[in-house]
Structures are given as C-alpha cells and as structure tokens.
Amino acid sequence: MKTGKLSEKIIWITGSGRGIGKAAALALAECGARVVLCARSSGEINETATEIHTIGGQVLAIPCNVSDQNQVDALVNRVKQQWGPVDILINNAGVAAFKKIVNTTVQDWDAMLDSNLKAAFLCSQAVLPDMLEKGAGHIINVVSVAGKQPYYNCGAYCASKYGLLGFTEVLRMETRKHGIMVTAFLPGATDTTLWGSANVDRTKMMTTAQVAQGLVNICASEPGCMTEQVIMRPIGGDL
Ligand SMILES: NC(=O)c1ccc[n+]([C@@H]2O[C@H](COP(=O)([O-])OP(=O)(O)OC[C@H]3O[C@@H](n4cnc5c(N)ncnc54)[C@H](OP(=O)(O)O)[C@@H]3O)[C@@H](O)[C@H]2O)c1
C-alpha cells in the first residue's frame, strides 16, 4: 500500500471514462487513492477500472448520469456502503458544442447546462452532509478558462462555465468555516474528445497527463491553507 498523502483517500472523479477525468483517475490511483469512476455509459469506465486494477489500484466504476439526482444519490450511497464517505469530489464531467448562439439549439443549451453546471450542484450537495459532519473534505470543480473569458462559438459552454465558477466561489464561502476546501480548476485547451471535429491545432494543446498532474497537486493540498483557484494553460497560450 502507498503511504503518501492521498493513500486510501476516497476520491470521486465524475466523467472519468476518458479525457482529463480518466487521466486524473489513473494518476490518483497511482498515488494510492481509492478512486470512484462514473460516466453515463459503462464501457469506458470499465476499461479504465481494468487499467487501474492492472497497476494495483483500488477502484469502483459506477455508471451514473451526474445531472440526474436519483442516480447521483444512488452512487453516493453505494460508495458509502462499500468504502465510506467521499473525501474528495472532482466535478469534472462535461460536454461541449461549438456553435454560434444563433445556431445553438435548446437541446445544446440544456445538455451543456445540465452536465457542466447542474451536475456539480447535485454531486456537491450529495457529498456535503458527510463532509460537514466530519469537518473535512475537498470539492474541486473543473471549470475552464472559458469560465473567465469569452470565446467565439462558445455561448452555452461559457454560460455553463461562468456559472460553475460563480457556484464554486459561493460554495467556498459557505463551507470554508466548516473545514471544507473548495477549488476552482481552470484548464486551457487540452487534447481530448471534447473538441470533436473542431478545426483546431491539437499539437498546441496540453496533454491529459499534464492536466491530471495539476489535479493531483490540488488533491494533495495542505489542509489549513486552501488552493482557491488554479489556471493551467498551454505554454504557447490560447490557441
Ligand atoms: N478538453 C479541454 O480543452 C478542456 C479545457 C478546459 C476544461 N475542460 C473541462 O474538463 C472536463 C473534462 O473534459 P474532457 O476534455 O476530458 O472531455 P471528454 O474527453 O469528452 O470526457 C468527458 C467525460 O465526461 C463524461 N460525461 C459527460 N457528461 C456526463 C454526465 N452528465 N454524467 C456523467 N458523465 C458525463 C463522459 O462520459 P459519457 O459520455 O459516457 O457520459 C466522459 O467520460 C469538462 O468539464 C470540460 O469542460 C476541458
């Protein structure tokens, strides 16, 4: 068993079947954390769980749409029964569609607001009672640089991420006096499927492993001096 700071910590990473969430889950499992994976579909989280088992890690893979309150509550109860309450929640699940506002459908809008914003509220609310009782815990919200500055063709995405940053700041105000840490993580362009077929230069993006290391560092923050906001960008800046 690893003996570092994260050893045996129960860390729930939402949206961990691929991309940043998967890379973070693998990196955290390597540090000895017990990781909880979830995504709407089961194939990719099961594959990730197999990779984690291969490196000797501890993992639970639970299909869950994190914008559905019943599914979120069921996941949290199952984790509590099998392992105990969640120590660290990483609200990472997210979707994007790159369209001008005039072409954005109500379905696009709802999909982004549900997965990128409502889900963070539901998952945070589901783990908060145990964290408040323990007087400890850490909630890390994967925002984006698009939560702080506008980008063309990102109307709904920016709306969801600006909202998530605002939610994060209020969550921190309300919970810090109870010993709970809340961190906003704002990555820039990272090479994942989130970009779909967008016409962008992926060689200029960060890798998921680089961004995952940022999340590992935040998870290992010292209690008593909270990291409030982390911005990570490709060395060449925005694309
Ligand atoms: N890539 C970038 O350049 C970048 C930059 C800044 C911030 N971010 C943020 O980083 C996070 C991860 O993005 P990524 O680039 O790694 O995307 P990705 O490769 O597309 O992975 C997204 C993950 O989230 C899951 N997911 C989406 N909606 C979900 C829901 N409602 N319930 C459960 N799981 C859900 C997906 O699985 P299923 O489809 O199976 O549900 C998948 O596992 C997102 O919040 C994104 O906004 C990304």
Side-chain angles (χ1 to χ4, degrees):
M1 192 215 295
K2 303 243 172 135
T3 52
K5 220 179 253 178
L6 297 174
S7 171
E8 297 300 311
K9 291 278 185 213
I10 299 172
I11 307 184
W12 175 20
I13 308 123
T14 72
S16 33
R18 59 179 186 268
I20 294 169
K22 174 180 180 173
L26 281 160
L28 290 163
E30 282 207 334
C31 296
R34 291 180 279 174
V35 296
V36 180
L37 314 178
C38 79
R40 290 167 296 187
S41 49
S42 57
E44 290 179 330
I45 51 172
N46 288 340
E47 282 168 25
T48 306
T50 303
E51 288 181 47
I52 290 174
H53 281 136
T54 306
I55 58 169
Q58 304 178 74
V59 59
L60 290 177
I62 306 174
C64 173
N65 181 344
V66 284
S67 63
D68 180 309
Q69 188 171 26
N70 291 332
Q71 294 186 40
V72 167
D73 290 346
L75 179 146
V76 169
N77 285 333
R78 189 172 146 195
V79 173
K80 270 174 84 166
Q81 277 166 10
Q82 286 194 237
W83 281 350
V86 170
D87 295 302
I88 302 176
L89 163 66
I90 304 179
N91 281 310
N92 167 76
V95 295
F98 303 104
K99 293 180 179 180
K100 286 194 191 315
I101 290 169
V102 72
N103 297 325
T104 298
T105 64
V106 173
Q107 288 77 14
D108 294 328
W109 178 270
D110 287 345
M112 282 180 263
L113 271 289
D114 282 356
S115 284
N116 302 358
L117 181 56
K118 181 184 173 189
F121 159 65
L122 292 176
C123 296
S124 302
Q125 204 177 49
V127 299
L128 270 174
D130 285 320
M131 290 186 177
L132 289 167
E133 197 180 312
K134 279 194 296 183
H138 196 164
I139 297 176
I140 300 161
N141 289 339
V142 179
V143 186
S144 166
V145 288
K148 238 182 156 52
Q149 72 178 68
Y151 291 90
Y152 277 103
N153 300 321
C154 288
Y157 187 74
C158 280
S160 70
K161 295 296 186 176
Y162 271 69
L164 181 59
L165 187 56
F167 170 74
T168 309
E169 304 295 328
V170 176
L171 183 64
R172 183 184 310 114
M173 285 172 83
E174 292 183 356
T175 58
R176 63 190 314 156
K177 56 183 168 295
H178 301 286
I180 297 167
M181 301 197 281
V182 175
T183 304
F185 181 52
L186 288 75
T190 309
D191 187 7
T192 72
T193 57
L194 190 89
W195 290 92
S197 56
N199 185 21
V200 282
D201 184 353
R202 287 176 179 265
T203 64
K204 294 189 171 154
M205 294 185 181
M206 296 182 287
T207 66
T208 56
Q210 289 170 323
V211 175
Q213 188 54 49
L215 281 168
V216 171
N217 295 343
I218 297 169
C219 287
S221 299
E222 281 297 326
C225 53
M226 151 165 61
T227 304
E228 294 192 349
Q229 205 176 85
V230 174
I231 300 174
M232 234 180 136
R233 275 197 157 98
I235 192 156
D238 270 349
L239 302 188

